[in-house]
């Protein structure tokens, strides 16, 4: 009946809303929106990314048969010595065209270590010496890799429980943990604001 159709519509809306909320939580959506009209230079300033992008390495002269899996195998072999053993996240692979790809390292030190490797498998050079195509690559794709924030299904489950009239879907324990985490972050922000205000006095 009408009630069932209403529930279906609400569930469909929730399914669309949840991914959007998760994406926004990562901060990227807000970042792009705040600098979209100002160009890559402004975006670089927002995220503290130097135009030189010293943490980025270009692999050039790649054959058309080179695949992402080949680059991943290269990193699997050499990254442990360049920072992987120290717990650093592996570089992100960003394709520019069929002959160029970028390794976006977590920091400058690990990028330099990768450049100093004695290997003949790939031709590597720093971003400052990269091809024009690579240097024109969107700044948003040159952000260093970082751990993904832990996510929780508590909010989505609560939303769906109300929409479907099924209280059993809620995970109240997870909701309490999420509320506590939010309070801790709120207190941390308040403390930072207080310290900043005192520094200006």
């Amino acid at each position: 009946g009408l009630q069932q159709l209403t529930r279906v519509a609400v569930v469909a809306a929730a399914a669309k809303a949840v991914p959007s909320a998760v994406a926004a939580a990562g901060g990227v959506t807000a970042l792009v929106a705040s600098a979209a009209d100002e160009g890559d230079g402004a975006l670089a300033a927002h995220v503290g990314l130097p135009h030189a992008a010293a943490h980025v390495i270009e692999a050039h002269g790649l054959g058309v048969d080179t695949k992402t899996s080949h680059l991943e195998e290269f990193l699997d072999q050499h990254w442990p010595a360049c920072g992987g053993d120290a717990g650093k996240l592996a570089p992100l692979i960003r394709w520019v065209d069929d002959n160029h790809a970028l390794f976006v390292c977590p920091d400058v030190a690990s990028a330099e270590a990768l450049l100093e490797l004695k290997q003949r498998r790939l031709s590597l050079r720093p971003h400052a010496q990269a091809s024009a195509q690579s240097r024109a690559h969107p700044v948003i794709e040159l952000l260093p890799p970082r751990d993904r924030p832990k996510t929780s299904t508590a909010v989505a489950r609560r939303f769906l429980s109300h929409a479907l009239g099924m209280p059993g879907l809620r995970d109240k324990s997870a909701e309490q943990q999420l509320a506590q985490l939010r309070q801790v972050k709120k207190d941390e922000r308040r403390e930072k604001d207080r310290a900043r205000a005192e520094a200006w006095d």
Side-chain angles (χ1 to χ4, degrees):
L2 179 60
Q3 185 178 9
Q4 181 64 23
L5 288 174
T6 302
R7 289 183 178 180
V8 171
V10 172
V11 172
K16 292 181 179 179
V18 170
S20 299
V22 172
V28 175
T29 302
L31 176 63
V32 173
S34 66
D37 296 331
E38 303 173 50
D40 279 356
L43 182 55
H46 275 281
V47 300
L49 180 67
H51 286 289
H55 67 294
V56 180
I57 296 173
E58 181 192 52
H60 58 99
L62 301 175
V64 293
D65 57 339
T66 301
K67 300 179 180 179
T68 301
S69 59
H70 298 146
L71 302 182
E72 291 174 339
E73 290 172 3
F74 172 84
L75 291 175
D76 288 342
Q77 179 181 355
H78 297 290
W79 184 245
C82 299
D85 286 343
K88 293 184 179 181
L89 296 176
L92 301 173
I93 298 172
R94 304 297 193 196
W95 281 98
V96 178
D97 53 37
D98 289 343
N99 305 116
H100 303 85
L102 300 174
F103 289 142
V104 184
C105 300
D107 53 41
V108 175
S110 55
E112 292 176 345
L114 197 58
L115 284 170
E116 293 171 359
L117 284 175
K118 294 182 179 179
Q119 54 83 29
R120 298 181 179 180
R121 188 171 178 180
L122 293 178
S123 297
L124 305 176
R125 59 189 176 193
H127 185 267
Q129 301 173 15
S131 63
Q133 302 96 303
S134 292
R135 284 186 281 108
H137 204 67
V139 172
I140 192 64
E141 292 201 357
L142 301 185
L143 300 180
R146 62 181 62 184
D147 287 318
R148 297 182 63 180
K150 294 182 179 179
T151 58
S152 172
T153 61
V155 176
R157 291 172 69 92
R158 183 179 62 188
F159 187 91
L160 291 174
S161 72
H162 285 305
L164 299 176
M166 300 173 61
L169 283 177
R170 294 183 62 174
D171 187 341
K172 294 186 177 181
S173 176
E175 289 178 20
Q176 292 176 352
Q177 293 177 358
L178 184 60
Q180 292 173 355
L181 178 60
R182 287 174 173 171
Q183 185 60 48
V184 169
K185 291 183 176 180
K186 183 177 180 180
D187 292 341
E188 290 177 349
R189 287 195 299 270
R190 185 182 296 113
E191 181 61 26
K192 288 180 180 179
D193 291 341
R194 184 189 63 78
R196 188 180 298 110
E198 291 179 352
W200 280 101
D201 291 341

